[in-house]
Amino acid sequence: MTMPIRSAVRPDEPAVGFASAADAARHITATCLQDGPVGKVGLEIEAHCFDRADPMRRPGWDEITDVIAQVPALPGGGAITVEPGGAVEISGPPTDGPLPAIAAMAADRAVLTEAFAEAGLALVLLGADPLRPPQRVNPGARYRAMEEFFAASGTADAGAAMMTSTASVQVNLDAGPHAGWADRVRLAHALGPTMVAITANSPLLGGEFTGWQSARQRVWSRLDAARCGPVLSADGDDDPAGEWARYALRAPVMLVHNPPDMQALPVTNWVPFADWADGLAVLGGRRPTEADLDYHLTTLFPPVRPRRWLEIRYLDSVPDALWPAVVFAMTTLLDDPAAADAAAEATEPVATAWDRAAQVGLEDRRLHAAALRCVEIAAERTPDELAESMALLLRSVEEGRSPADDFSDRVVEWGVGPAVHRLVKGES
């Protein structure tokens, strides 16, 4: 689900800086959530790009973009982008409800997967690259600057892994009516650990078992919490827009655009955005503008991010047989009022167990109980079109297994290289 970031000024007007952090906070609270009904669903799915003949080789930028250039307009209306490490993402348009969004994404994935296969490449759905070391192939200035920022902040390894070795299924949902924002945002966070356990699909990173079911979530947890941690505290907040404003203003500025070329430049010392807005620190020789703040918000990566709608960012990329059921469950548990009430009750005991969920997944009895109840709630409402996918998801959860368990079993039996090679070739 994509919407244009509102321009701060007309091109012929000079940019005006904020007078204070309080002014910046007012801008955030006025724009971060959009009052309205629920129902729109947007999907974004990332897949690692592998050479079908040599999975250890990471395809280069020109190789990937040449394939994309030959792909016709996708039937579901999705846009194709390339992540820093060469993972390929489809971002679907917002649709009315989960079924059209799922159908459109499935159609787009089929076309894109076939195009890459014809070029000798494969798009593999795993939460983390299990085989290759981190390596950036996207030459974009933003990503070069991000590398410098992470190096300066002492998180170079985690930053490189995050940018080049992780992949997710992202679900974008309406913020809903203003009166329900507090409960809705709180539930989106509370569902996080349970859904992390259900979708964990990254037990290996760089050729080794990490000891975590979701190495993807582990990587994110090793970046600074001011930028990547949950927005809400354990008890949530009755003013999620205000909570997001406080989070964003405390977060350090990562990148600044400076004239004349307006390329992203890293900020290599710790400068909270509030300090820049209050004039306690000077970046680029000026106060920040609305455009600077809007850009700053795109460099914050919490598990639930308000962007007028809600970005659900905590799901590992999971196989084609499962992600439709995961998307339907995620949407139903938030958009169906009765399902939401039941999910809130089921997830309350594990609402903040982020690391536990990522490390042991459904082996934890409380997470397993919450997961089973949530999937049962979604299964009761599943249409015939998704019955097979939901049955597979429900059976896995009943058995206390996540996709990570299936992949781990293959690695133990065949070895990591052969297991990845089988995935790349489309073999189970």
Side-chain angles (χ1 to χ4, degrees):
M1 181 185 293
T2 57
M3 295 176 66
I5 295 177
R6 184 168 64 90
S7 175
V9 294
R10 294 202 314 267
D12 58 340
E13 292 181 341
V16 177
F18 287 109
S20 67
D23 285 345
R26 282 189 285 271
H27 173 74
I28 295 171
T29 56
T31 60
C32 69
L33 295 171
Q34 182 172 314
D35 185 19
V38 301
K40 294 289 187 184
V41 179
L43 301 180
E44 301 175 31
I45 295 185
E46 297 169 333
H48 301 284
C49 184
F50 284 93
D51 184 327
R52 292 169 67 90
D54 179 11
M56 273 299 297
R57 185 183 76 84
R58 188 181 293 269
W61 173 254
D62 290 342
E63 187 176 0
I64 294 171
T65 54
D66 283 349
V67 176
I68 293 173
Q70 304 303 314
V71 178
L74 294 179
I80 307 168
T81 54
V82 182
E83 296 300 305
V88 179
E89 178 180 75
I90 301 176
S91 300
T95 67
D96 292 323
L99 288 184
I102 291 167
M105 180 59 70
D108 287 353
R109 270 196 47 78
V111 170
L112 193 64
T113 299
E114 179 61 26
F116 272 74
E118 290 176 358
L121 304 176
L123 299 177
V124 175
L125 297 173
L126 283 167
D129 187 329
L131 191 59
R132 302 170 299 191
Q135 180 187 350
R136 180 172 61 85
V137 300
N138 188 323
R142 172 183 169 97
Y143 301 125
R144 290 199 304 271
M146 287 176 69
E147 283 180 334
E148 293 182 47
F149 173 87
F150 287 128
S153 65
T155 57
D157 290 344
M162 179 274 284
M163 289 197 298
T164 70
S165 299
T166 63
S168 71
V169 172
Q170 182 171 304
V171 182
N172 302 315
L173 302 174
D174 288 313
H178 182 279
W181 283 354
D183 289 340
R184 186 166 174 79
V185 174
R186 188 178 300 116
L187 178 57
H189 282 79
L191 281 165
T194 297
M195 296 303 297
V196 165
I198 289 171
T199 63
N201 191 32
S202 48
L204 289 91
L205 189 66
E208 298 181 351
F209 280 104
T210 63
W212 291 57
Q213 293 286 75
S214 176
R216 174 184 177 273
Q217 191 68 22
R218 178 189 185 223
V219 165
W220 285 95
S221 72
R222 293 191 167 189
L223 296 168
D224 63 90
R227 163 165 274 103
C228 300
V231 173
L232 296 188
S233 60
D235 297 327
D237 195 283
D238 290 333
D239 176 23
E243 188 79 359
W244 175 235
R246 289 187 287 274
Y247 182 102
L249 293 176
R250 286 194 299 263
V253 180
M254 175 184 273
L255 309 172
V256 173
H257 284 111
N258 281 332
D261 57 11
M262 296 303 289
Q263 289 218 358
L265 301 176
V267 178
T268 54
N269 53 327
W270 189 278
V271 178
F273 193 94
D275 286 1
W276 190 17
D278 278 332
L280 301 178
V282 177
L283 300 176
R286 56 183 172 78
R287 290 284 184 94
T289 65
E290 286 187 6
D292 290 315
L293 177 53
D294 289 338
Y295 189 73
H296 171 65
L297 297 178
T298 72
T299 70
L300 307 181
F301 310 110
V304 179
R305 182 166 67 174
R307 294 196 69 186
R308 294 192 291 277
W309 60 92
L310 298 180
E311 290 182 347
I312 309 300
R313 302 173 51 85
Y314 44 67
L315 306 171
D316 272 14
S317 194
V318 295
D320 280 312
L322 282 181
W323 68 255
V326 169
V327 168
F328 184 82
M330 193 81 248
T331 304
T332 298
L333 296 173
L334 280 164
D335 283 4
D336 181 299
D341 288 343
E345 181 180 359
T347 58
E348 183 178 4
V350 291
T352 59
W354 293 95
D355 283 352
R356 180 70 175 168
Q359 187 167 15
V360 304
L362 297 178
E363 290 183 12
D364 182 280
R365 62 176 182 81
R366 296 191 308 160
L367 284 163
H368 182 242
L372 184 57
R373 180 66 185 123
C374 285
V375 174
E376 287 174 341
I377 292 166
E380 292 167 358
R381 295 160 170 80
T382 300
D384 291 342
E385 298 94 318
L386 299 179
E388 185 176 351
S389 181
M390 186 59 72
L392 180 61
L393 180 63
L394 179 58
R395 183 167 61 251
S396 294
V397 173
E398 287 174 340
E399 295 173 354
R401 294 176 63 84
S402 69
D405 293 301
D406 296 331
F407 184 62
S408 294
D409 288 349
R410 297 186 186 110
V411 171
V412 170
E413 181 177 359
W414 302 319
V416 58
V420 173
H421 205 177
R422 285 175 179 245
L423 277 181
V424 166
K425 292 190 294 183
E427 300 175 3
S428 60

mmCIF file of all heavy atoms in Angstrom, residues 97-118:
data_model
loop_
_atom_site.group_PDB
_atom_site.id
_atom_site.type_symbol
_atom_site.label_atom_id
_atom_site.label_comp_id
_atom_site.label_asym_id
_atom_site.label_seq_id
_atom_site.Cartn_x
_atom_site.Cartn_y
_atom_site.Cartn_z
ATOM 1 N N GLY A 97 -10.224 -5.349 0.920
ATOM 2 C CA GLY A 97 -10.233 -6.614 1.619
ATOM 3 C C GLY A 97 -9.059 -7.501 1.272
ATOM 4 O O GLY A 97 -8.341 -7.274 0.288
ATOM 5 N N PRO A 98 -8.850 -8.559 2.072
ATOM 6 C CA PRO A 98 -7.670 -9.409 1.883
ATOM 7 C C PRO A 98 -7.724 -10.292 0.646
ATOM 8 O O PRO A 98 -6.676 -10.551 0.041
ATOM 9 C CB PRO A 98 -7.646 -10.252 3.163
ATOM 10 C CG PRO A 98 -9.062 -10.270 3.647
ATOM 11 C CD PRO A 98 -9.624 -8.936 3.278
ATOM 12 N N LEU A 99 -8.901 -10.778 0.246
ATOM 13 C CA LEU A 99 -8.946 -11.710 -0.889
ATOM 14 C C LEU A 99 -8.435 -11.088 -2.181
ATOM 15 O O LEU A 99 -7.608 -11.693 -2.878
ATOM 16 C CB LEU A 99 -10.355 -12.264 -1.065
ATOM 17 C CG LEU A 99 -10.831 -13.269 -0.002
ATOM 18 C CD1 LEU A 99 -12.199 -13.812 -0.363
ATOM 19 C CD2 LEU A 99 -9.840 -14.398 0.157
ATOM 20 N N PRO A 100 -8.891 -9.898 -2.577
ATOM 21 C CA PRO A 100 -8.319 -9.288 -3.790
ATOM 22 C C PRO A 100 -6.826 -9.009 -3.669
ATOM 23 O O PRO A 100 -6.082 -9.148 -4.648
ATOM 24 C CB PRO A 100 -9.123 -7.996 -3.950
ATOM 25 C CG PRO A 100 -10.383 -8.223 -3.186
ATOM 26 C CD PRO A 100 -10.003 -9.091 -2.034
ATOM 27 N N ALA A 101 -6.382 -8.613 -2.464
ATOM 28 C CA ALA A 101 -4.955 -8.336 -2.278
ATOM 29 C C ALA A 101 -4.136 -9.606 -2.446
ATOM 30 O O ALA A 101 -3.069 -9.609 -3.085
ATOM 31 C CB ALA A 101 -4.715 -7.730 -0.897
ATOM 32 N N ILE A 102 -4.621 -10.708 -1.894
ATOM 33 C CA ILE A 102 -3.922 -11.988 -1.998
ATOM 34 C C ILE A 102 -3.905 -12.471 -3.450
ATOM 35 O O ILE A 102 -2.866 -12.913 -3.966
ATOM 36 C CB ILE A 102 -4.581 -13.019 -1.073
ATOM 37 C CG1 ILE A 102 -4.327 -12.651 0.395
ATOM 38 C CG2 ILE A 102 -4.068 -14.429 -1.364
ATOM 39 C CD1 ILE A 102 -5.183 -13.420 1.377
ATOM 40 N N ALA A 103 -5.050 -12.394 -4.122
ATOM 41 C CA ALA A 103 -5.128 -12.838 -5.514
ATOM 42 C C ALA A 103 -4.197 -12.014 -6.399
ATOM 43 O O ALA A 103 -3.505 -12.560 -7.276
ATOM 44 C CB ALA A 103 -6.565 -12.740 -6.016
ATOM 45 N N ALA A 104 -4.175 -10.704 -6.204
ATOM 46 C CA ALA A 104 -3.320 -9.844 -7.018
ATOM 47 C C ALA A 104 -1.844 -10.153 -6.776
ATOM 48 O O ALA A 104 -1.045 -10.238 -7.722
ATOM 49 C CB ALA A 104 -3.615 -8.380 -6.706
ATOM 50 N N MET A 105 -1.474 -10.339 -5.511
ATOM 51 C CA MET A 105 -0.071 -10.635 -5.205
ATOM 52 C C MET A 105 0.337 -11.994 -5.759
ATOM 53 O O MET A 105 1.443 -12.156 -6.294
ATOM 54 C CB MET A 105 0.154 -10.587 -3.694
ATOM 55 C CG MET A 105 1.587 -10.881 -3.262
ATOM 56 S SD MET A 105 2.829 -9.754 -3.960
ATOM 57 C CE MET A 105 2.444 -8.236 -3.080
ATOM 58 N N ALA A 106 -0.540 -12.992 -5.654
ATOM 59 C CA ALA A 106 -0.219 -14.314 -6.185
ATOM 60 C C ALA A 106 -0.001 -14.253 -7.698
ATOM 61 O O ALA A 106 0.923 -14.876 -8.237
ATOM 62 C CB ALA A 106 -1.335 -15.299 -5.838
ATOM 63 N N ALA A 107 -0.843 -13.501 -8.392
ATOM 64 C CA ALA A 107 -0.691 -13.361 -9.839
ATOM 65 C C ALA A 107 0.613 -12.653 -10.188
ATOM 66 O O ALA A 107 1.332 -13.053 -11.123
ATOM 67 C CB ALA A 107 -1.881 -12.604 -10.420
ATOM 68 N N ASP A 108 0.925 -11.603 -9.451
ATOM 69 C CA ASP A 108 2.160 -10.869 -9.711
ATOM 70 C C ASP A 108 3.390 -11.730 -9.433
ATOM 71 O O ASP A 108 4.370 -11.719 -10.191
ATOM 72 C CB ASP A 108 2.207 -9.608 -8.853
ATOM 73 C CG ASP A 108 1.252 -8.532 -9.322
ATOM 74 O OD1 ASP A 108 0.643 -8.721 -10.398
ATOM 75 O OD2 ASP A 108 1.105 -7.516 -8.628
ATOM 76 N N ARG A 109 3.347 -12.480 -8.332
ATOM 77 C CA ARG A 109 4.487 -13.348 -8.003
ATOM 78 C C ARG A 109 4.698 -14.414 -9.079
ATOM 79 O O ARG A 109 5.829 -14.757 -9.413
ATOM 80 C CB ARG A 109 4.291 -13.996 -6.640
ATOM 81 C CG ARG A 109 4.878 -13.162 -5.503
ATOM 82 C CD ARG A 109 5.041 -13.938 -4.223
ATOM 83 N NE ARG A 109 5.649 -15.233 -4.383
ATOM 84 C CZ ARG A 109 6.958 -15.462 -4.561
ATOM 85 N NH1 ARG A 109 7.807 -14.451 -4.631
ATOM 86 N NH2 ARG A 109 7.409 -16.694 -4.677
ATOM 87 N N ALA A 110 3.613 -14.948 -9.614
ATOM 88 C CA ALA A 110 3.745 -15.980 -10.645
ATOM 89 C C ALA A 110 4.457 -15.433 -11.879
ATOM 90 O O ALA A 110 5.348 -16.082 -12.441
ATOM 91 C CB ALA A 110 2.366 -16.519 -11.013
ATOM 92 N N VAL A 111 4.075 -14.235 -12.299
ATOM 93 C CA VAL A 111 4.706 -13.623 -13.477
ATOM 94 C C VAL A 111 6.174 -13.318 -13.204
ATOM 95 O O VAL A 111 7.059 -13.622 -14.026
ATOM 96 C CB VAL A 111 3.951 -12.343 -13.879
ATOM 97 C CG1 VAL A 111 4.722 -11.565 -14.945
ATOM 98 C CG2 VAL A 111 2.553 -12.689 -14.381
ATOM 99 N N LEU A 112 6.451 -12.732 -12.051
ATOM 100 C CA LEU A 112 7.828 -12.342 -11.744
ATOM 101 C C LEU A 112 8.718 -13.565 -11.553
ATOM 102 O O LEU A 112 9.863 -13.592 -12.032
ATOM 103 C CB LEU A 112 7.845 -11.468 -10.489
ATOM 104 C CG LEU A 112 9.160 -10.734 -10.204
ATOM 105 C CD1 LEU A 112 9.459 -9.723 -11.300
ATOM 106 C CD2 LEU A 112 9.094 -10.033 -8.843
ATOM 107 N N THR A 113 8.206 -14.580 -10.873
ATOM 108 C CA THR A 113 8.986 -15.796 -10.648
ATOM 109 C C THR A 113 9.352 -16.459 -11.970
ATOM 110 O O THR A 113 10.485 -16.929 -12.160
ATOM 111 C CB THR A 113 8.202 -16.768 -9.758
ATOM 112 O OG1 THR A 113 7.945 -16.147 -8.489
ATOM 113 C CG2 THR A 113 8.975 -18.058 -9.535
ATOM 114 N N GLU A 114 8.407 -16.494 -12.897
ATOM 115 C CA GLU A 114 8.665 -17.095 -14.205
ATOM 116 C C GLU A 114 9.715 -16.301 -14.980
ATOM 117 O O GLU A 114 10.602 -16.881 -15.621
ATOM 118 C CB GLU A 114 7.369 -17.184 -15.003
ATOM 119 C CG GLU A 114 7.523 -17.771 -16.402
ATOM 120 C CD GLU A 114 8.038 -19.195 -16.386
ATOM 121 O OE1 GLU A 114 7.821 -19.907 -15.389
ATOM 122 O OE2 GLU A 114 8.665 -19.607 -17.393
ATOM 123 N N ALA A 115 9.635 -14.979 -14.908
ATOM 124 C CA ALA A 115 10.612 -14.151 -15.612
ATOM 125 C C ALA A 115 12.014 -14.382 -15.073
ATOM 126 O O ALA A 115 12.986 -14.476 -15.838
ATOM 127 C CB ALA A 115 10.227 -12.671 -15.491
ATOM 128 N N PHE A 116 12.154 -14.492 -13.760
ATOM 129 C CA PHE A 116 13.468 -14.735 -13.173
ATOM 130 C C PHE A 116 13.946 -16.149 -13.484
ATOM 131 O O PHE A 116 15.150 -16.364 -13.714
ATOM 132 C CB PHE A 116 13.443 -14.467 -11.668
ATOM 133 C CG PHE A 116 13.733 -13.037 -11.317
ATOM 134 C CD1 PHE A 116 12.784 -12.048 -11.528
ATOM 135 C CD2 PHE A 116 14.964 -12.665 -10.819
ATOM 136 C CE1 PHE A 116 13.056 -10.722 -11.229
ATOM 137 C CE2 PHE A 116 15.248 -11.348 -10.517
ATOM 138 C CZ PHE A 116 14.294 -10.365 -10.727
ATOM 139 N N ALA A 117 13.035 -17.115 -13.485
ATOM 140 C CA ALA A 117 13.423 -18.493 -13.813
ATOM 141 C C ALA A 117 13.977 -18.580 -15.231
ATOM 142 O O ALA A 117 14.957 -19.300 -15.492
ATOM 143 C CB ALA A 117 12.230 -19.430 -13.640
ATOM 144 N N GLU A 118 13.374 -17.865 -16.161
ATOM 145 C CA GLU A 118 13.856 -17.873 -17.549
ATOM 146 C C GLU A 118 15.272 -17.301 -17.654
ATOM 147 O O GLU A 118 16.017 -17.633 -18.579
ATOM 148 C CB GLU A 118 12.898 -17.084 -18.435
ATOM 149 C CG GLU A 118 11.545 -17.777 -18.637
ATOM 150 C CD GLU A 118 10.574 -16.932 -19.434
ATOM 151 O OE1 GLU A 118 10.956 -15.795 -19.798
ATOM 152 O OE2 GLU A 118 9.456 -17.405 -19.704
#
